Amino acid sequence: MWFMRQAGRYMAEYRKIRETRTLIEICKTPEIATEVTLQPLKFGFDAAILFADILLPLEPMGASFEFAKGEGPVIHEPIVSRAQIDRLRVIDPEESLPYVLSTIKLLKRELEVPLIGFAGAPFTLASYLIEGGKSANFAKTKRLMFGAPDAWAALMTTLSEVVRRYLRAQVAAGADAIQVFDSWVGDLAPADYAEFVHPYVHRILADVQTTGVPVIHFGVGTSTLLESMRDAGGTVIGVDFCTPLDEAWKRIGYDRGVQGNMDPCALLATRDVAIRHAQRALDAAGNRPGHIFNLGHGITPETPVDNVKAVVEHVHQASAR
Ligand code: CP3
């Protein structure tokens, strides 16, 4: 078991480090990114997730951004033209993201549990590049996707090659598993996923899976997309908290693993409520091998640490064989 965003603002130790450093500074300083990655392991998680952000590759590609206070990411010059897409660089991760690979190497010296590396999937990265930040309906992204399919294909091809290289570099540096975050792909109809996303994700995952490390393929709001996401690839399919895990696994097929899917907001209630929700995910997984216990999306900053401790303990006790 591990939690998405397990290193972050719900922890006092993390907030302390953030008082004097920005998120990007933490990511770019391997010693500090290592320290932050290790912080949540005191709760007993079975894996560490590299502290970084899915947006990091965008800057060396030529799309600078910042994390504005209280607003999330802001891309300085959102994509509005084909010329901007053609100017994006296909980076070499060793050259352009050396700090991420150094963090992985430092972590591998310290860790007694496996290390999960990650990247954003091309649709989710494209949505930030085009919308300029978070979006309610992805209207600009879809305008380009539906209205200028050649430009969309060029953008997705460039992003896919960057993500493929970046994930391979993380595995070469020592990552034991990889998660691909296609966080916002649940906003697409299945036919549009098939046409505009599937070919690119498939290309990335088919290549990364030849390294032999397990690949977790995750998105939010993906009830109608689970079979397509499975077909696009992934050793393990991440399931969001709105989809019953037993139904999801049946549809995905028991030859794949599943990850999930407790509602992160159930950690905001009492300890007993949190444990009841954790048990619901365990019951749905039915003691089958191949279930990675996780939340259905990232942990929220308001989460009481005592509930995290209680759920980790409960899952370990209840799933001990
Ligand atoms: O899971 C982990 O512990 C590893 C670290 C991690 C971060 N971002 C650090 C972070 C991971 C895996 C991510 C992935 C990421 N980043 C995603 C995909 C995951 C998901 O939630 O679906 C996305 C969409 C991003 C882009 C991003 N980064 C946004 C939209 C925000 C702002 C959101 C917010 O809650 O303010 C971030 C900031 C960010 N990245 C934080 C952390 C811990 C917030 C903490 C801070 O500002 O210090």
Side-chain angles (χ1 to χ4, degrees):
M1 75 176 297
W2 64 283
F3 281 2
M4 287 183 269
R5 291 273 171 94
Q6 67 188 21
R9 286 166 294 183
Y10 76 101
M11 292 187 71
E13 298 92 317
Y14 176 80
R15 292 195 301 270
K16 178 94 190 133
I17 287 184
R18 280 282 275 121
E19 277 172 17
T20 54
R21 294 172 188 89
T22 65
L23 177 63
I24 299 296
E25 282 164 1
I26 298 173
C27 295
K28 289 190 174 176
T29 315
E31 292 73 20
I32 299 175
T34 297
E35 181 185 341
V36 170
T37 303
L38 298 174
Q39 283 175 347
L41 298 183
K42 68 171 188 185
F43 298 125
F45 290 115
D46 298 319
I49 178 155
L50 168 71
F51 194 82
D53 195 273
I54 62 164
L55 303 181
L56 294 178
L58 301 184
E59 183 196 318
M61 288 180 72
S64 65
F65 68 89
E66 66 193 285
F67 284 99
K69 235 184 161 48
E71 284 176 56
V74 178
I75 309 289
H76 294 142
E77 289 172 45
I79 287 179
V80 292
S81 72
R82 174 66 196 250
Q84 280 173 292
I85 293 172
D86 293 340
R87 277 199 300 272
L88 289 172
R89 284 186 292 275
V90 176
I91 54 168
D92 171 3
E94 275 84 8
E95 217 169 88
S96 301
L97 298 158
Y99 46 88
V100 175
L101 305 176
S102 300
T103 303
I104 293 176
K105 288 175 194 155
L106 281 181
L107 278 165
K108 286 302 291 176
R109 283 194 230 143
E110 305 261 338
L111 280 171
E112 286 161 22
V113 293
L115 176 64
I116 304 168
F118 68 91
F123 175 84
T124 293
L125 293 175
S127 80
Y128 283 102
L129 282 174
I130 299 165
E131 305 288 339
K134 64 170 186 261
S135 170
N137 58 5
F138 303 96
K140 293 175 181 147
T141 306
K142 291 183 185 183
R143 181 170 59 200
L144 185 90
M145 189 176 87
F146 294 135
D150 291 347
W152 177 258
L155 176 58
M156 290 293 276
T157 301
T158 298
L159 286 169
S160 300
E161 181 57 12
V162 169
V163 171
R164 186 189 74 79
R165 291 182 183 192
Y166 186 35
L167 290 175
R168 275 203 162 263
Q170 291 184 41
V171 173
D176 300 292
I178 287 294
Q179 175 152 322
V180 173
F181 285 93
D182 215 349
S183 302
W184 311 137
V185 82
D187 227 64
L188 294 179
D192 297 320
Y193 180 90
E195 183 174 351
F196 296 108
V197 177
H198 184 289
Y200 305 98
V201 175
H202 185 264
R203 194 181 307 161
I204 296 166
L205 297 187
D207 181 66
V208 174
Q209 285 183 269
T210 64
T211 64
V213 306
V215 176
I216 306 161
H217 184 186
F218 169 77
V220 182
T222 55
S223 300
T224 60
L225 297 180
L226 288 172
E227 291 88 349
S228 322
M229 289 176 68
R230 170 204 64 201
D231 292 344
T235 334
V236 176
I237 305 299
V239 180
D240 66 53
F241 50 86
C242 291
T243 313
L245 194 66
D246 47 353
E247 284 172 32
W249 207 348
K250 198 168 165 199
R251 284 168 48 204
I252 290 163
Y254 300 119
D255 58 332
R256 306 287 181 105
V258 288
Q259 174 176 279
N261 76 338
M262 175 177 170
D263 190 331
C265 293
L267 286 167
L268 303 177
T270 62
R271 187 179 176 278
D272 288 350
V273 169
I275 287 175
R276 187 144 39 85
H277 278 257
Q279 186 59 42
R280 190 200 283 171
L282 291 172
D283 287 343
N287 235 10
R288 254 174 226 287
H291 172 222
I292 300 173
F293 185 95
N294 203 320
L295 306 174
H297 200 185
I299 190 168
T300 65
E302 300 80 11
T303 303
V305 291
D306 284 344
N307 286 352
V308 174
K309 281 184 211 157
V311 167
V312 174
E313 200 174 298
H314 177 78
V315 171
H316 280 152
Q317 272 170 10
S319 60
R321 288 171 216 273

